[in-house]
Structures are given as C-alpha cells and as structure tokens.
Amino acid sequence: MYITCLDLEGVLVPEIWIAFAEETGIPELRKTTRDEPDYDKLMQYRLNILKEHGLGLKEIQETIAKIDPLPGAKEFLDQLRSECQTLILSDTFEQFAKPLMEKLGWPTIFCNTLEVAEDGTITGYKMRCEKSKYTTVRALQSCGFETIASGDSFNDLGMIEASKAGFLFRSTEQIRKDYPQYPAFEEYDDLLHAIEEVIKA
C-alpha cells in the first residue's frame, strides 16, 4: 500500500514566512528552508527578528488567515487522496496550520509545535522528532507502507531520498541542479501523473 508524503509550504500553500515578511515589511523574514538547510539555525534567526520587532503569534496568525492554497492545490490534493493515502509532512507548526488545513479540506498533517508565552510571544518550538520528515517516512515503511514523497526545499530531500519514488515540485534552480536524479515538476497535473504511474507500476 502506498502513502504519498507531501510538503506543505511552497507545494500546497504559499510560504507563510514570506507572506508575513511582506505583511510586516521585514525582508529578513523571507528566508526559508529553500535558503537555509539548517532548520534550527533558521528558526533561531526568525525568533530573534520577531523579538526585535515585538511581534508574536497573534500577528502571524492574522497573516495566515489571509492566505489561500495555491491555485489548483485543493483539486490536486482531492484527486490524489482518492487514489492513495496522503500525508502532509511539514516543519510548520500546529498553531499555523489549522486554518490552512480547513481550506484544503482537512487532510492529515504531521507538524511541530510552537512554545508561546501568555502574552503571545513565541519563546521557542518543539520538533515532533529529529529529522521529522525522513524519520516519519522510515516509520511508515517499517509498518509495511511504500512511500512516495514530494517537496521543494532542502528539508524535503531526506524523505524524497528515502522513498520508493521522490519528486521535486516548484523547487529552486540550485536544488534541481544539485539533485538531478529526482524528476522536477512545476504543474500539479504533471506531479499527479508521475505519482499515478508509480502506484500503477
């Protein structure tokens, strides 16, 4: 039995931190896992900027409320879910994800948790497990599932490499160049077709 594991931001919805950077006018917050492979380093960088500007969870959630899925994402996800089990593996946080999951028709998501003070200040974060996407794919395989994975960033490469089939989707030119062994797609129809071919094989 197959389970397809998808990244969230950049694949199904716009990048939350880029949207927040545009909303606040703080360009430093545009940095994502496409730019920085070390997730802990990236999050400490973000938290320092939030603290410096006096911004907290409330302000980020207000931005998220305005974010819609990428055009065609829900239709792609609905079709994929009708053909195989689908799981969203994301390094985002449950405090960010809920309104986006509602707009996507409540797919299953595994993500992380923010540590938030009573005044709404984000003080830290708790990762679900180490190398969460890779670890989850390996755990699914240990239960007898075959996995297919797709994502756009450095933090997706572990689950892509570990899966029976892995695809880059709307990734950066540099990642596509550095990892030519993974087919790269820009359109949902092409990604869906590639996944269907694996399932049927």
Side-chain angles (χ1 to χ4, degrees):
M1 184 179 185
Y2 280 100
I3 292 185
T4 298
C5 300
L6 297 174
D7 180 34
L8 177 65
E9 295 177 65
V11 173
L12 299 171
V13 304
E15 293 279 354
I16 291 168
W17 289 96
I18 290 178
F20 191 56
E22 290 171 357
E23 186 79 17
T24 58
I26 304 171
E28 293 86 355
L29 286 173
R30 291 184 62 86
K31 187 180 286 191
T32 70
T33 49
R34 288 176 166 214
D35 312 299
E36 174 53 69
D38 186 327
Y39 190 73
D40 186 61
K41 184 177 175 182
L42 177 63
M43 277 306 299
Q44 292 303 328
Y45 169 82
R46 287 168 169 168
L47 294 181
N48 288 338
I49 292 171
L50 293 179
K51 186 176 180 181
E52 183 184 326
H53 291 271
L55 297 167
L57 180 60
K58 176 176 173 286
E59 289 80 11
I60 300 174
Q61 287 178 327
E62 286 170 353
T63 295
I64 293 170
K66 303 173 190 174
I67 295 176
D68 288 321
L70 292 165
K74 185 177 185 302
E75 293 77 10
F76 160 74
L77 194 56
D78 288 345
Q79 181 63 35
L80 181 60
R81 290 167 74 193
S82 76
E83 298 188 31
C84 76
Q85 295 295 314
T86 303
L87 178 61
I88 297 174
L89 297 183
S90 175
D91 279 338
T92 193
F93 306 97
E94 58 182 336
Q95 294 93 335
F96 291 1
K98 189 174 179 181
L100 299 170
M101 293 306 98
E102 182 176 7
K103 290 177 181 179
L104 285 169
W106 298 112
T108 300
I109 183 171
F110 288 3
C111 59
N112 303 309
T113 306
L114 288 170
E115 296 169 346
V116 185
E118 285 187 14
D119 66 356
T121 301
I122 300 171
T123 57
Y125 62 96
K126 184 178 180 184
M127 299 296 281
R128 188 169 47 79
C129 56
E130 191 176 348
K131 296 181 181 176
S132 60
K133 297 183 184 189
Y134 170 82
T135 303
T136 302
V137 159
R138 283 300 195 203
L140 290 168
Q141 291 165 351
S142 75
C143 298
F145 293 104
E146 295 271 22
T147 61
I148 302 166
S150 183
D152 69 329
S153 298
F154 285 108
N155 64 335
D156 299 312
L157 294 170
M159 71 171 179
I160 288 173
E161 184 178 358
S163 291
K164 180 169 183 180
F167 307 105
L168 295 171
F169 187 72
R170 297 182 182 173
S171 192
T172 64
E173 186 178 340
Q174 190 61 52
I175 291 176
R176 291 197 303 269
K177 183 180 173 184
D178 290 346
Y179 297 89
Q181 66 269 41
Y182 303 125
F185 301 110
E186 295 293 317
E187 301 299 330
Y188 290 118
D189 285 349
D190 296 332
L191 177 58
L192 182 63
H193 178 70
I195 294 170
E196 288 171 341
E197 289 297 302
V198 177
I199 295 169
K200 291 172 186 173

